[in-house]
Amino acid sequence: MNTGRNRILYLLLGWLVFTIAVPVAIWVGELIPTEYANGEKLVQAIVTSAIVIPIVYLLGKRRWDKEIFKKMRISTTIRGVSTMFFVFFVVICISLIGFFLLVKMNDIDNVTIHWSKDVLGMILFTFVVAFFYEALPEEIVFRGFLSKVLEEKWTNWIVLFGSAFLFLASPVTMFYIQKMFGMPTNEITTSYVILIFSFGIALLLITWYFQNLWASIGFHMGYLMSSRFIMNNDERAIFNFTEEENGLAFISVQYLLVVVGSIIILTILLLIKKRKIRSRDFLQ
């Protein structure tokens, strides 16, 4: 088979795996009785990972054979998991610092702490669901499989923006699939498009920097958990507050500080790293 066509086929199949898996998982979850809302979310998470992980493994195995884990930057040692939790807690700390800076600048006030066994239980439950429903399958598909297929042919800049585009195209396509079949879905807004595209860039940069897919999984989880329990400002969140302008806290912290800030810092670090490698190669 023509190498170019072969590559496009793998990109298409890898992208379709996640894009179709989520609507299928939502449909399966809707079969759960409405009084078991948490059960529905858990089933959706399990179904998504159960579809995505085996199929991507088979695709990767067919393309790279024994080098599949190396190619997809999946560390099978304790180092990978420790990297995930390190990055996760760094993102949580950045969100907390941003939150308290906004308090200090009086952009948000009337802060109350909402903490109980129910909140702790919801945090643990959401962590599990977010891991298997979003972070793990998305990172395996977009930063693990698809980005590596792109890297085989194109330059880093094309890979960076190309993978971010594929990452954005997936929820946009899912929106129309879910709407077509009458499934519940969220509207696609301009701010959402900008956020997801930028998020995709940040996730691939952190994967490149650590050369470990667990790092992007940790970043993904840190972002999701801090968004839902630190900056969300509802009955599920740890903090409740009022803000000068609705959505200001989320944009300032989660988008500008966490996502855009990470893109700037990681780009600088990667350029420094590349320069050091070139200098070392020159000296040798």
Side-chain angles (χ1 to χ4, degrees):
M1 184 182 288
N2 180 275
T3 305
R5 290 180 181 176
N6 192 15
R7 187 178 296 109
I8 297 299
L9 178 62
Y10 275 98
L11 286 172
L12 180 61
L13 290 174
W15 181 81
L16 282 173
V17 167
F18 184 80
T19 305
I20 294 174
V22 172
V24 170
I26 291 172
W27 174 76
V28 173
E30 288 181 339
L31 300 177
I32 306 297
T34 53
E35 59 267 27
Y36 302 108
N38 286 342
E40 177 183 338
K41 293 175 183 176
L42 187 60
V43 167
Q44 289 171 342
I46 293 170
V47 170
T48 301
S49 282
I51 293 173
V52 169
I53 295 172
I55 295 177
V56 173
Y57 175 79
L58 291 173
L59 289 172
K61 188 76 173 172
R62 184 175 177 82
R63 188 160 186 84
W64 300 304
D65 196 21
K66 294 178 181 179
E67 290 192 317
I68 176 173
F69 293 110
K70 181 182 177 182
K71 289 286 186 180
M72 293 177 64
R73 306 181 184 94
I74 300 175
S75 171
T76 55
T77 64
I78 194 69
R79 179 175 169 269
V81 179
S82 61
T83 300
M84 181 189 80
F85 280 107
F86 169 73
V87 175
F88 171 81
F89 284 115
V90 167
V91 175
I92 295 295
C93 288
I94 292 172
S95 292
L96 285 170
I97 291 169
F99 178 83
F100 288 114
L101 282 174
L102 290 180
V103 173
K104 191 73 174 174
M105 294 186 296
N106 296 317
D107 287 320
I108 58 177
D109 51 22
N110 300 322
V111 178
T112 58
I113 299 176
H114 181 218
W115 185 257
S116 66
K117 288 182 179 179
D118 290 339
V119 173
L120 178 59
M122 183 56 70
I123 289 173
L124 295 175
F125 176 78
T126 302
F127 187 95
V128 173
V129 170
F131 182 80
F132 288 105
Y133 189 41
E134 298 180 65
L136 182 63
E138 286 182 13
E139 295 314 303
I140 284 176
V141 170
F142 294 100
R143 262 62 63 179
F145 183 75
L146 294 181
S147 67
K148 200 61 188 178
V149 174
L150 288 169
E151 285 174 30
E152 293 175 347
K153 172 69 176 178
W154 290 286
T155 63
N156 286 344
W157 288 109
I158 294 175
V159 173
L160 185 64
F161 292 109
S163 64
F165 173 78
L166 290 172
F167 185 53
L168 169 63
S170 187
V172 172
T173 304
M174 282 188 275
F175 168 79
Y176 289 106
I177 292 174
Q178 290 168 231
K179 209 165 185 180
M180 187 186 305
F181 290 97
M183 297 178 181
T185 185
N186 296 318
E187 289 296 321
I188 301 293
T189 62
T190 303
S191 58
Y192 176 83
V193 168
I194 295 170
L195 173 62
I196 297 301
F197 189 79
S198 304
F199 192 41
I201 291 173
L203 286 164
L204 185 55
L205 287 174
I206 201 163
T207 305
W208 281 346
Y209 182 75
F210 283 93
Q211 285 299 301
N212 193 328
L213 194 67
W214 288 104
S216 65
I217 293 172
F219 188 93
H220 203 140
M221 287 298 298
Y223 178 85
L224 292 175
M225 297 302 287
S226 59
S227 295
R228 292 172 189 180
F229 293 103
I230 297 175
M231 307 307 303
N232 202 26
N233 195 24
D234 64 10
E235 67 278 359
R236 301 183 309 163
I238 297 172
F239 302 109
N240 293 138
F241 53 88
T242 57
E243 50 187 328
E244 293 289 326
E245 186 177 341
N246 188 36
L248 174 66
F250 185 91
I251 294 170
S252 300
V253 176
Q254 296 304 102
Y255 180 65
L256 293 178
L257 189 60
V258 176
V259 177
V260 176
S262 295
I263 290 172
I264 294 170
I265 292 170
L266 287 164
T267 300
I268 294 170
L269 290 174
L270 282 165
L271 289 172
I272 292 171
K273 195 174 182 180
K274 186 176 182 180
R275 188 171 182 179
K276 284 182 178 179
I277 292 171
R278 283 180 175 175
S279 298
R280 187 168 62 245
D281 292 344
F282 176 77
L283 291 172
Q284 289 175 350

